[in-house]
């Protein structure tokens, strides 16, 4: 009797939040079901210069194209093909970082830096986030954000903290600027072009919004820093039963790192990485480099590290492959995430979603309508995660609505930017988010629980800003 009653207890497992891949598959299934329920529809589009615009009032229903389970699996493969450049970049960056790590150069260098910043960790976080925020606001740190997350992780670990803090410094630093950026052509520039506003007009207000958002983001990350400093088990990386050293870095207090000297090969390896990062930043800023250029740069960095460290041809190749294998999880998440958009595009329901979300705006006054624009864009961002893609899809619709309802075009652009920006820190179709969490080995569900209240606060404050700007008739001219 006792044996039988105990048996069910032995097989009982504690419920665990689904990992990122399970969540993405669920999203894909939901998207597939939506193609059977949501009517298929399309807008007409015209191309003017390099920008493809939606023609307002051109929405029309078309024959449905519901997706089946086989289409879902094909969409996953297509998602990998579409994001191939970003996936390769993730693998190649991971390989370069792994090879540098194997030389012990980055460990020694960051321990020295952490020792110099002892007691000034809050300042170090501020400086790192400020640099990232400026890059995000100007559109420089697009793909580069994902590249720099491993560096943030190394710095955090060297200071004695976890991967989650390193991820947060880089990611929230960059997006504190990107989400309200005043000089990012791929989002604000395209939106203003479609709205027939001067490029980067409204500069002063957006700089103020950027500063406010950066301060808010900094204190959010600082709260996390203070929380895990006081109680390490509240780390995003902590699992029950883990020893402290399994998820928190070591400050090396018992080591005299001042006596440890970097060798010539270690110094050259570090310089190769620094030069690689500088190269991709300049390339992105001046020559509009994308993920392919960044991948090629870090392939060269890997080869240089292998050469100067005397790994030999076989050792360099083996190190490169092993480095790639360490970040396969992060790379694969990016491919799976894109499958959601592929399913909805193939099912012809993306335009329908945009159209029906735009209808209620016509029935509100200008202030309420402007706020609904923000909310609508936040929802649309779940389905169209590309900032430039969302701008070209929604702005041709939002601009005529704004003119009819009395919303200024500059406020309509700002509502788009807020809606497109803040939810980037939550939705699983954002490559830099999911790839960064993969680098940091942070579960998406745990991250979501931590970050959602902060993002909701940002959206509420954005609604306040939109209300004020529309109430004063802000034109930004």
């Amino acid at each position: 009797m006792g044996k039988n009653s105990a048996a069910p207890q032995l097989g009982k497992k504690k419920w665990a939040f689904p990992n990122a891949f399970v969540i993405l598959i669920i999203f894909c299934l939901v998207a597939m079901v939506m193609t059977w329920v949501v009517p298929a529809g399309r807008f007409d589009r015209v191309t003017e210069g390099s920008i493809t615009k939606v023609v307002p009032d051109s929405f029309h229903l078309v024959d449905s194209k519901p997706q089946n389970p086989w289409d879902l699996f094909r969409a996953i493969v297509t998602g990998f093909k579409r994001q191939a450049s970003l996936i390769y970049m993730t693998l190649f960056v991971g390989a370069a970082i792994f090879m540098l790590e194997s030389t012990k150069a980055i460990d020694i260098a960051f321990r020295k830096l952490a020792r110099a910043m002892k007691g000034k960790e809050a300042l170090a976080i501020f400086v790192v986030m400020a640099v990232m925020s400026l890059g995000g606001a100007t559109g420089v740190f697009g793909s580069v954000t994902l590249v720099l997350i491993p560096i943030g992780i190394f710095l955090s670990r060297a200071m004695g903290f976890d991967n989650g803090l390193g991820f947060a410094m880089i990611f929230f630093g960059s997006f504190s600027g990107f989400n309200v950026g005043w000089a990012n052509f791929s989002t604000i520039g395209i939106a203003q072009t479609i709205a027939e506003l001067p490029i980067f007009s409204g500069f002063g207000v957006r700089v103020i919004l950027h500063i406010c958002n950066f301060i808010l983001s900094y204190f959010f990350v600082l709260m996390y820093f203070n929380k895990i400093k006081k109680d390490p088990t509240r780390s995003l990386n902590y699992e029950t039963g883990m020893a402290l050293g399994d998820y928190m870095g070591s400050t090396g207090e018992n080591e005299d790192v001042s006596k440890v000297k970097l060798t010539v090969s270690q110094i050259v390896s570090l310089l190769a990485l620094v030069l690689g990062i500088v190269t991709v930043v300049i390339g992105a800023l001046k020559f509009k480099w994308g993920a392919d250029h960044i991948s090629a740069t870090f392939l060269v960095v890997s080869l240089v590290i292998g050469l100067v460290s005397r790994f030999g041809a076989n050792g360099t190749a083996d190190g490169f492959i092993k480095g790639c294998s360490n970040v396969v999880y992060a790379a694969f998440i990016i491919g799976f995430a894109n499958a959601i958009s592929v399913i909805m595009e193939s099912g012809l329901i993306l335009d329908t979603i945009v159209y029906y979300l735009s209808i209620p705006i016509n029935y509100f006054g200008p202030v309420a309508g402007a706020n609904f624009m923000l909310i609508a864009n936040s929802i649309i961002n779940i389905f169209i995660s590309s900032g430039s893609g969302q701008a070209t899809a929604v702005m041709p619709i939002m601009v005529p609505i704004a003119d009819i309802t009395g919303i200024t075009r500059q406020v309509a652009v700002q509502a788009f930017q807020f809606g497109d920006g803040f939810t980037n820190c939550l939705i699983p179709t954002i490559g830099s988010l999911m790839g960064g969490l993969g680098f940091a080995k942070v579960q998406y569900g745990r991250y979501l629980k931590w970050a959602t209240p902060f993002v909701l606060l940002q959206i509420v404050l954005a609604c306040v800003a939109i209300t004020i700007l529309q109430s004063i008739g802000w034109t930004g001219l």
Side-chain angles (χ1 to χ4, degrees):
M1 182 73 176
K3 183 177 179 180
N4 289 338
S5 62
Q9 297 296 325
L10 294 174
K12 190 175 181 180
K13 293 184 178 180
K14 183 180 178 182
W15 182 85
F17 194 92
N19 69 26
F21 288 106
V22 175
I23 292 170
L24 292 172
I25 289 295
I26 292 172
F27 269 74
C28 286
L29 287 169
V30 171
M32 183 189 73
V33 171
M34 287 176 65
T35 65
W36 288 84
V37 178
V38 178
R42 277 181 173 164
F43 286 103
D44 294 331
R45 288 171 167 81
V46 295
T47 300
E48 297 178 6
S50 60
I51 298 175
T52 300
K53 298 181 181 180
V54 169
V55 178
D57 300 322
S58 67
F59 179 78
H60 56 280
L61 296 177
V62 297
D63 292 338
S64 295
K65 196 176 179 183
Q67 302 294 287
N68 58 46
W70 177 243
D71 294 323
L72 185 152
F73 290 113
R74 290 180 60 234
I76 292 174
V77 175
T78 303
F80 272 75
K81 288 169 63 178
R82 284 190 179 183
Q83 295 296 318
S85 293
L86 189 56
I87 290 170
Y88 296 148
M89 187 190 79
T90 302
L91 294 173
F92 286 17
V93 170
I97 297 296
F98 173 82
M99 292 185 69
L100 182 62
E101 187 180 7
S102 66
T103 69
K104 303 297 181 184
I106 200 165
D107 179 63
I108 295 171
F110 275 76
R111 283 185 184 278
K112 287 179 177 290
L113 177 61
R115 191 178 183 88
M117 295 301 297
K118 183 68 176 176
K120 303 175 184 176
E121 292 88 354
L123 176 61
I125 294 170
F126 180 88
V127 172
V128 170
M129 290 188 67
V131 172
M132 292 303 303
S133 189
L134 184 61
T138 55
V140 175
F141 291 161
S143 301
V144 181
T145 299
L146 186 58
V147 173
L148 296 177
I149 284 174
I151 305 300
I153 290 171
F154 275 117
L155 177 58
S156 177
R157 299 281 297 187
M159 293 191 300
F161 298 96
D162 64 352
N163 293 355
L165 178 63
F167 162 82
M169 284 192 293
I170 301 298
F171 183 80
F172 281 99
S174 178
F175 277 82
S176 70
F178 178 87
N179 294 345
V180 291
W182 31 265
N184 187 341
F185 183 78
S186 66
T187 53
I188 195 72
I190 291 177
Q192 288 181 323
T193 298
I194 294 173
E196 298 177 339
L197 293 169
I199 294 291
F200 304 142
S201 56
F203 176 84
V205 169
R206 289 193 174 89
V207 168
I208 293 172
L209 293 172
H210 175 204
I211 293 171
C212 293
N213 193 46
F214 168 73
I215 293 171
L216 192 67
S217 300
Y218 169 68
F219 279 105
F220 174 64
V221 175
L222 191 64
M223 283 173 59
Y224 178 73
F225 162 74
N226 288 323
K227 181 173 68 175
I228 62 173
K229 184 178 181 180
K230 183 178 181 180
D231 181 4
T233 62
R234 300 182 72 183
S235 162
L236 291 170
N237 294 101
Y238 175 73
E239 299 287 349
T240 304
M242 273 187 170
L244 186 66
D246 293 336
Y247 64 96
M248 296 287 276
S250 172
T251 58
E253 291 181 352
N254 297 324
E255 305 173 22
D256 188 359
V257 293
S258 62
K259 295 181 179 179
V260 180
K261 302 293 183 182
L262 288 166
T263 65
V264 173
S265 63
Q266 288 174 327
I267 292 172
V268 174
S269 296
L270 280 170
L271 289 175
L273 179 67
V274 172
L275 183 59
I277 293 173
V278 171
T279 299
V280 299
V281 169
I282 294 174
L285 184 61
K286 290 196 67 176
F287 306 109
K288 307 301 179 185
W289 275 14
D292 289 349
H293 297 91
I294 296 173
S295 296
T297 301
F298 278 91
L299 175 58
V300 173
V301 170
S302 298
L303 294 175
V304 170
I305 292 172
L307 177 65
V308 301
S309 301
R310 299 179 182 177
F311 290 162
N314 289 341
T316 300
D318 290 342
F320 183 83
I321 297 301
K322 190 171 182 180
C324 289
S325 69
N326 282 350
V327 293
V328 163
Y329 178 88
F332 272 39
I333 282 178
I334 295 169
F336 270 85
N338 192 252
I340 301 167
S341 296
V342 173
I343 293 170
M344 289 189 293
E345 286 176 14
S346 300
L348 305 177
I349 63 172
L350 276 178
D351 282 2
T352 305
I353 292 169
V354 172
Y355 172 70
Y356 281 107
L357 282 173
S358 69
I359 290 176
I361 300 173
N362 286 301
Y363 298 97
F364 296 121
V367 173
N371 278 281
F372 192 84
M373 274 188 178
L374 190 161
I375 301 302
N377 276 288
S378 297
I379 297 171
I380 292 169
N381 195 39
I382 298 172
F383 306 102
I384 309 175
S385 56
S386 165
S388 57
Q390 187 174 338
T392 57
V394 304
M395 288 311 299
I397 303 166
M398 298 298 180
V399 169
I401 293 174
D403 292 343
I404 293 170
T405 57
I407 300 170
T408 73
R409 291 191 175 194
Q410 198 72 256
V411 169
V413 168
Q414 191 58 53
F416 152 74
Q417 188 182 37
F418 281 153
D420 167 67
F422 293 127
T423 48
N424 284 332
C425 297
L426 292 180
I427 59 177
T429 51
I430 301 299
S432 55
L433 169 60
M434 301 307 289
L437 290 176
F439 275 134
K441 295 181 173 59
V442 172
Q443 293 180 11
Y444 175 66
R446 180 173 291 180
Y447 166 81
L448 207 61
K449 183 178 179 181
W450 171 65
T452 298
F454 173 66
V455 174
L456 291 177
L457 173 62
Q458 287 180 306
I459 292 173
V460 169
L461 293 176
C463 287
V464 172
I466 285 292
T467 298
I468 294 171
L469 293 172
Q470 178 57 39
S471 296
I472 64 175
W474 180 54
T475 63
L477 302 175

